[in-house]
Coordinates of all heavy atoms in Angstrom, one line a residue:
S219 N -20.0 57.2 -125.1 CA -19.2 57.0 -126.2 C -19.9 56.8 -127.4 O -20.5 55.6 -127.6 CB -18.1 56.0 -125.9 OG -17.6 55.5 -127.0
G220 N -20.2 57.8 -128.2 CA -21.2 57.6 -129.4 C -22.5 57.1 -128.8 O -23.1 57.9 -128.0
K221 N -23.0 56.0 -129.3 CA -24.4 55.5 -128.9 C -24.2 54.7 -127.6 O -25.1 54.2 -127.1 CB -25.0 54.7 -130.0 CG -25.4 55.6 -131.2 CD -26.1 54.7 -132.1 CE -27.5 54.7 -132.1 NZ -28.2 53.9 -133.1
V222 N -22.9 54.4 -127.1 CA -22.9 53.6 -125.9 C -22.9 54.5 -124.7 O -22.1 55.1 -124.2 CB -21.4 52.9 -125.9 CG1 -21.4 52.0 -124.8 CG2 -21.2 52.3 -127.3
Y223 N -24.1 54.5 -124.2 CA -24.5 55.2 -122.9 C -25.7 54.7 -122.3 O -26.4 53.9 -123.0 CB -24.7 56.7 -123.1 CG -25.8 57.0 -124.2 CD1 -27.1 56.9 -123.8 CD2 -25.5 57.3 -125.6 CE1 -28.2 57.3 -124.7 CE2 -26.6 57.5 -126.5 CZ -27.9 57.4 -126.0 OH -28.9 57.7 -126.9
I224 N -25.8 55.0 -121.1 CA -27.2 54.5 -120.4 C -27.9 55.6 -119.7 O -28.4 55.6 -118.6 CB -26.9 53.4 -119.3 CG1 -25.8 53.7 -118.3 CG2 -26.6 52.0 -119.9 CD1 -25.6 52.8 -117.1
N225 N -27.9 56.8 -120.4 CA -28.5 58.0 -119.9 C -29.9 58.0 -119.7 O -30.5 58.6 -119.0 CB -28.1 59.3 -120.7 CG -26.6 59.5 -120.8 OD1 -25.8 58.8 -120.3 ND2 -26.3 60.4 -121.7
G226 N -30.5 57.1 -120.7 CA -31.9 57.0 -120.6 C -32.4 56.4 -119.1 O -33.3 56.9 -118.6
V227 N -31.9 55.2 -118.9 CA -32.4 54.6 -117.7 C -31.9 55.4 -116.4 O -32.6 55.4 -115.4 CB -31.9 53.1 -117.6 CG1 -30.5 52.9 -117.5 CG2 -32.6 52.4 -116.5
E228 N -30.6 56.1 -116.5 CA -30.2 56.9 -115.4 C -31.2 58.1 -115.3 O -31.4 58.5 -114.2 CB -28.8 57.4 -115.7 CG -27.8 56.1 -115.3 CD -26.4 56.6 -115.7 OE1 -26.1 57.4 -116.5 OE2 -25.5 55.9 -115.2
G229 N -31.7 58.5 -116.4 CA -32.7 59.7 -116.3 C -34.0 59.2 -115.6 O -34.5 60.0 -114.9
F230 N -34.3 58.0 -115.8 CA -35.5 57.4 -114.9 C -35.2 57.4 -113.5 O -36.0 57.7 -112.7 CB -35.8 55.9 -115.4 CG -37.0 55.4 -114.6 CD1 -38.3 55.9 -114.7 CD2 -36.6 54.6 -113.6 CE1 -39.3 55.4 -113.9 CE2 -37.6 54.1 -112.7 CZ -39.0 54.4 -112.9
W231 N -34.0 56.9 -113.1 CA -33.7 56.9 -111.8 C -33.8 58.3 -111.1 O -34.4 58.4 -110.0 CB -32.2 56.5 -111.4 CG -31.9 55.1 -111.9 CD1 -30.7 54.7 -112.6 CD2 -32.6 53.9 -111.9 NE1 -30.7 53.3 -112.9 CE2 -31.9 52.8 -112.4 CE3 -33.9 53.6 -111.3 CZ2 -32.3 51.5 -112.4 CZ3 -34.4 52.3 -111.3 CH2 -33.6 51.3 -111.9
S232 N -33.3 59.4 -111.7 CA -33.4 60.8 -111.2 C -34.9 61.1 -111.1 O -35.4 61.7 -110.1 CB -32.7 61.8 -111.9 OG -31.6 61.2 -112.6
Y233 N -35.6 60.8 -112.2 CA -37.1 61.1 -112.3 C -37.8 60.6 -111.1 O -38.6 61.2 -110.4 CB -37.6 60.6 -113.6 CG -39.1 60.7 -113.7 CD1 -39.6 61.8 -114.5 CD2 -40.0 59.7 -113.4 CE1 -41.0 61.8 -114.8 CE2 -41.4 59.8 -113.6 CZ -41.8 60.9 -114.2 OH -43.0 61.1 -114.5
A234 N -37.5 59.2 -110.9 CA -38.3 58.6 -109.8 C -37.9 59.0 -108.4 O -38.7 59.2 -107.6 CB -38.1 57.0 -109.9
K235 N -36.6 59.1 -108.2 CA -36.1 59.5 -106.9 C -36.6 61.0 -106.5 O -36.9 61.2 -105.3 CB -34.5 59.3 -106.8 CG -34.1 58.0 -106.8 CD -32.6 57.8 -106.8 CE -32.4 56.3 -106.8 NZ -31.0 55.9 -106.9
E236 N -36.6 61.8 -107.4 CA -37.0 63.2 -107.2 C -38.5 63.3 -106.8 O -38.9 63.9 -105.8 CB -36.9 64.0 -108.5 CG -36.8 65.5 -108.4 CD -36.8 66.1 -109.7 OE1 -35.7 65.9 -110.4 OE2 -37.8 66.8 -110.1
R237 N -39.3 62.4 -107.4 CA -40.8 62.3 -107.2 C -41.0 61.7 -105.7 O -42.0 61.9 -105.1 CB -41.5 61.7 -108.1 CG -41.6 62.7 -109.3 CD -42.2 62.0 -110.6 NE -42.7 63.0 -111.5 CZ -41.8 63.7 -112.2 NH1 -40.5 63.6 -112.1 NH2 -42.3 64.7 -113.0
L238 N -40.1 60.7 -105.5 CA -40.5 59.8 -104.2 C -40.1 60.7 -102.9 O -40.7 60.3 -101.9 CB -39.7 58.5 -104.2 CG -40.3 57.5 -105.2 CD1 -39.3 56.4 -105.4 CD2 -41.6 56.9 -104.6
I239 N -39.4 61.7 -103.0 CA -39.0 62.6 -101.9 C -40.2 63.0 -101.2 O -40.3 63.0 -99.9 CB -38.1 63.7 -102.3 CG1 -36.8 63.2 -102.8 CG2 -37.9 64.7 -101.2 CD1 -35.8 64.2 -103.3
K240 N -41.3 63.5 -101.9 CA -42.3 64.1 -101.4 C -43.3 63.2 -100.5 O -44.1 63.6 -99.7 CB -43.2 64.9 -102.3 CG -44.0 64.2 -103.2 CD -45.0 65.1 -103.9 CE -45.5 64.6 -105.1 NZ -44.6 64.8 -106.3
H241 N -43.0 61.9 -100.6 CA -43.8 61.0 -99.8 C -43.2 60.8 -98.4 O -43.7 59.9 -97.6 CB -44.1 59.6 -100.6 CG -44.9 59.8 -101.9 ND1 -46.2 60.2 -101.8 CD2 -44.5 59.8 -103.1 CE1 -46.7 60.4 -103.1 NE2 -45.6 60.1 -103.9
H242 N -42.0 61.4 -98.2 CA -41.4 61.2 -96.9 C -41.1 59.8 -96.3 O -41.9 59.5 -95.3 CB -42.1 62.1 -95.8 CG -42.3 63.6 -96.3 ND1 -41.3 64.4 -96.5 CD2 -43.5 64.1 -96.7 CE1 -41.7 65.5 -96.8 NE2 -43.1 65.5 -97.0
G243 N -40.4 59.0 -96.9 CA -40.1 57.8 -96.5 C -41.2 56.8 -96.7 O -42.2 56.7 -96.0
V244 N -41.1 56.0 -97.8 CA -42.1 55.0 -98.1 C -41.6 53.7 -97.4 O -40.5 53.4 -97.5 CB -42.2 54.8 -99.6 CG1 -43.1 53.6 -99.9 CG2 -42.6 56.1 -100.3
S245 N -42.5 52.8 -96.8 CA -42.2 51.6 -96.2 C -41.6 50.6 -97.2 O -42.1 50.7 -98.3 CB -43.2 51.1 -95.4 OG -44.3 50.6 -96.3
K246 N -40.8 49.8 -96.8 CA -40.3 48.7 -97.7 C -41.4 47.9 -98.3 O -41.2 47.5 -99.5 CB -39.3 47.8 -97.0 CG -37.9 48.1 -97.1 CD -36.9 47.1 -96.7 CE -35.5 47.5 -96.9 NZ -34.6 46.7 -96.3
E247 N -42.4 47.7 -97.6 CA -43.5 46.7 -98.1 C -44.3 47.4 -99.2 O -44.7 46.9 -100.2 CB -44.5 46.4 -97.0 CG -44.0 45.6 -95.8 CD -43.0 46.2 -95.0 OE1 -43.2 47.4 -94.7 OE2 -41.9 45.6 -94.6
R248 N -44.4 48.8 -99.0 CA -45.2 49.6 -99.9 C -44.4 50.1 -101.1 O -44.9 50.5 -102.2 CB -45.8 50.8 -99.3 CG -47.0 50.5 -98.4 CD -48.2 51.1 -98.9 NE -49.5 50.5 -98.3 CZ -50.0 51.0 -97.4 NH1 -49.6 52.1 -96.8 NH2 -51.2 50.4 -97.0
F249 N -43.1 50.0 -101.1 CA -42.2 50.6 -102.0 C -42.5 50.1 -103.4 O -42.5 50.8 -104.4 CB -40.7 50.5 -101.7 CG -39.7 50.9 -102.6 CD1 -39.6 52.2 -103.0 CD2 -39.0 50.0 -103.4 CE1 -38.8 52.7 -104.0 CE2 -38.2 50.3 -104.4 CZ -38.0 51.8 -104.8
P250 N -42.6 48.8 -103.6 CA -42.9 48.3 -105.0 C -44.1 49.0 -105.7 O -44.1 49.3 -106.9 CB -43.1 46.8 -104.9 CG -42.4 46.4 -103.5 CD -42.5 47.6 -102.7
L251 N -45.1 49.3 -104.9 CA -46.2 50.1 -105.5 C -45.9 51.4 -105.9 O -46.3 51.9 -107.0 CB -47.3 50.2 -104.3 CG -48.2 49.0 -104.0 CD1 -49.3 49.3 -102.8 CD2 -49.0 48.4 -105.2
Y252 N -45.1 52.1 -105.1 CA -44.6 53.4 -105.5 C -43.7 53.3 -106.7 O -43.8 54.3 -107.6 CB -44.0 54.1 -104.3 CG -44.9 54.7 -103.3 CD1 -45.5 53.7 -102.4 CD2 -45.3 55.9 -103.1 CE1 -46.3 54.1 -101.4 CE2 -46.1 56.3 -102.2 CZ -46.7 55.5 -101.2 OH -47.4 55.9 -100.3
L253 N -42.9 52.4 -106.7 CA -41.9 52.2 -107.9 C -42.7 52.1 -109.1 O -42.4 52.7 -110.2 CB -41.1 51.1 -107.6 CG -40.0 50.8 -108.7 CD1 -39.0 51.9 -108.6 CD2 -39.3 49.5 -108.5
K254 N -43.8 51.3 -109.2 CA -44.6 51.0 -110.4 C -45.4 52.3 -110.7 O -45.7 52.5 -111.9 CB -45.5 49.8 -110.1 CG -44.9 48.5 -110.3 CD -44.5 48.2 -111.7 CE -43.6 47.0 -111.8 NZ -43.1 46.7 -113.1
E255 N -45.7 53.1 -109.7 CA -46.4 54.3 -110.0 C -45.4 55.2 -110.9 O -45.8 55.8 -111.8 CB -46.7 55.0 -108.7 CG -47.4 56.4 -109.0 CD -47.4 57.4 -107.8 OE1 -47.4 56.8 -106.6 OE2 -47.5 58.5 -108.0
M256 N -44.2 55.2 -110.5 CA -43.2 55.9 -111.1 C -43.0 55.5 -112.6 O -42.9 56.3 -113.5 CB -41.7 56.0 -110.5 CG -41.8 56.6 -109.1 SD -42.5 58.3 -109.2 CE -43.6 58.3 -107.8
E257 N -42.9 54.2 -112.8 CA -42.8 53.6 -114.1 C -44.0 54.1 -114.9 O -43.8 54.5 -116.1 CB -42.8 52.0 -114.0 CG -42.7 51.2 -115.2 CD -43.0 49.8 -115.0 OE1 -42.0 49.0 -114.7 OE2 -44.2 49.4 -115.2
F258 N -45.2 53.9 -114.4 CA -46.4 54.3 -115.0 C -46.4 55.8 -115.5 O -46.6 56.2 -116.6 CB -47.7 54.1 -114.1 CG -48.9 54.8 -114.5 CD1 -49.6 54.3 -115.6 CD2 -49.3 55.9 -113.9 CE1 -50.8 55.0 -116.0 CE2 -50.6 56.7 -114.2 CZ -51.2 56.1 -115.3
R259 N -46.0 56.7 -114.6 CA -46.0 58.2 -114.8 C -44.9 58.4 -116.0 O -45.2 59.2 -116.9 CB -45.5 58.9 -113.6 CG -46.6 59.0 -112.6 CD -46.4 60.0 -111.6 NE -47.3 60.0 -110.5 CZ -48.5 60.6 -110.6 NH1 -48.9 61.3 -111.5 NH2 -49.4 60.5 -109.6
Y260 N -43.7 57.7 -115.9 CA -42.6 57.9 -116.8 C -43.1 57.5 -118.2 O -42.9 58.2 -119.2 CB -41.4 57.3 -116.3 CG -40.2 57.5 -117.2 CD1 -39.4 58.7 -116.8 CD2 -39.8 56.7 -118.2 CE1 -38.2 58.9 -117.6 CE2 -38.6 57.0 -119.0 CZ -37.8 58.0 -118.7 OH -36.7 58.4 -119.4

Side-chain angles (χ1 to χ4, degrees):
S219 157
K221 287 179 99 178
V222 188
Y223 57 81
I224 49 169
N225 299 0
V227 64
E228 285 176 340
F230 172 77
W231 301 138
S232 331
Y233 176 94
K235 285 175 184 177
E236 197 183 294
R237 278 170 170 76
L238 282 168
I239 290 173
K240 69 162 154 286
H241 296 290
H242 305 294
V244 175
S245 71
K246 262 192 177 170
E247 294 70 42
R248 286 250 165 93
F249 174 70
L251 283 178
Y252 284 77
L253 183 71
K254 282 289 169 186
E255 177 196 339
M256 295 305 133
E257 178 193 271
F258 163 76
R259 288 191 186 279
Y260 189 86

